[in-house]
Amino acid sequence: MKLSRKFVSDYIDLDENLTINEIAEAMTSVGNEYDAAEKLINCTNLTVGHVLECVDHPDSDHLHVCKVDIGSEVLDIVCGAPNVRKGLKVIVALPGAKLPEMEIKRGVIRGVESNGMICALFELGLEEKTDETYAKGITELDDDAKVGKDPLAYLGLDDTLYELDVHKHRNNDCYYHIGFAYEIACILNRKVTLPSLDFKVNK
């Protein structure tokens, strides 16, 4: 059984300082064993970037050389996506970033220095890599995405999943998010707030 920290937070105030392991170990202390507690997306060193300039690569018919503002500096990044262009807000994997299938390093691509990678969702493990998703190119963020901030937080994907080994006798109270919230509330002495069910009848 997998439960989302974000979903549970809809019902109970979870202190941001509470780590993944602290909550998982608190659950274990009252008899709810967990198999795993991990981030929804296991990618590191990502940031929101703003493409300030995009020109054709001097030694390629499909690559582009981009100047990308990441807040703290402007990076030169070589990108082969068909939709990359000036003005886009994008997801940037910085040197040292670890993605599901690769680690990003500084490099030279056909004689031009590249300091990171502009990403598509499938490169973060958020979509299946198909001909269709590959043809779409990099992910285009909305204009309200803030340069230098965490793109996973912007997309609402900075979540933690708890995989519980729920005993068959606890299916009625620990097999869904509200039940999980009540369990944590008892352990942490917090209050559970249920969503309002008020409604008006429209004749």
Side-chain angles (χ1 to χ4, degrees):
M1 175 63 185
K2 291 186 178 181
L3 295 167
S4 157
R5 178 173 178 145
K6 274 186 176 291
F7 282 13
V8 171
S9 296
D10 288 341
Y11 309 112
I12 180 175
D13 181 21
L14 289 178
D15 191 331
E16 289 294 328
N17 293 325
L18 280 171
T19 67
I20 296 171
N21 289 336
E22 284 173 336
I23 292 178
E25 288 170 6
M27 290 293 292
T28 301
S29 71
V30 295
N32 296 303
E33 295 185 9
Y34 71 97
D35 293 328
E38 58 190 13
K39 291 184 178 180
L40 174 63
I41 309 299
N42 286 315
C43 297
T44 62
N45 217 15
L46 302 177
T47 192
V48 174
H50 183 205
V51 181
L52 302 178
E53 182 181 304
C54 179
V55 299
D56 291 340
H57 191 293
D59 189 30
S60 172
D61 60 358
H62 70 282
L63 295 176
H64 304 86
V65 181
C66 304
K67 289 194 178 297
V68 184
D69 179 14
I70 61 166
S72 57
E73 59 181 316
V74 175
L75 300 176
D76 289 323
I77 299 178
V78 175
C79 179
N83 62 323
V84 67
R85 60 191 182 276
K86 179 181 177 180
L88 275 188
K89 294 285 184 68
V90 293
I91 301 172
V92 178
L94 300 171
K98 292 184 179 179
L99 308 186
E101 296 186 0
M102 68 184 85
E103 181 175 347
I104 305 304
K105 299 179 181 179
R106 300 181 191 275
V108 176
I109 301 176
R110 293 198 179 184
V112 176
E113 183 178 327
S114 185
N115 300 288
M117 184 174 78
I118 303 174
C119 300
L121 289 182
F122 65 80
E123 290 164 325
L124 306 181
L126 294 171
E127 283 184 342
E128 184 180 356
K129 184 177 180 181
T130 64
D131 291 342
E132 182 181 358
T133 56
Y134 185 80
K136 280 195 311 185
I138 56 172
T139 299
E140 301 182 20
L141 302 179
D142 291 336
D143 288 339
D144 62 352
K146 297 192 177 187
V147 171
K149 298 298 183 181
D150 181 359
L152 297 181
Y154 172 76
L155 293 170
L157 297 171
D158 56 332
D159 199 1
T160 300
L161 293 183
Y162 297 91
E163 186 169 355
L164 299 180
D165 183 12
V166 180
H167 191 277
K168 63 182 180 180
H169 297 307
R170 300 299 304 276
N171 282 354
N172 290 332
D173 61 342
C174 277
Y175 213 65
Y176 57 104
H177 283 90
I178 294 177
F180 188 52
Y182 273 111
E183 193 79 359
I184 295 176
C186 289
I187 298 168
L188 301 179
N189 194 25
R190 305 283 172 90
K191 181 181 178 181
V192 172
T193 303
L194 298 179
S196 172
L197 298 178
D198 294 339
F199 63 92
K200 294 181 180 180
V201 177
N202 186 342
K203 295 182 180 180

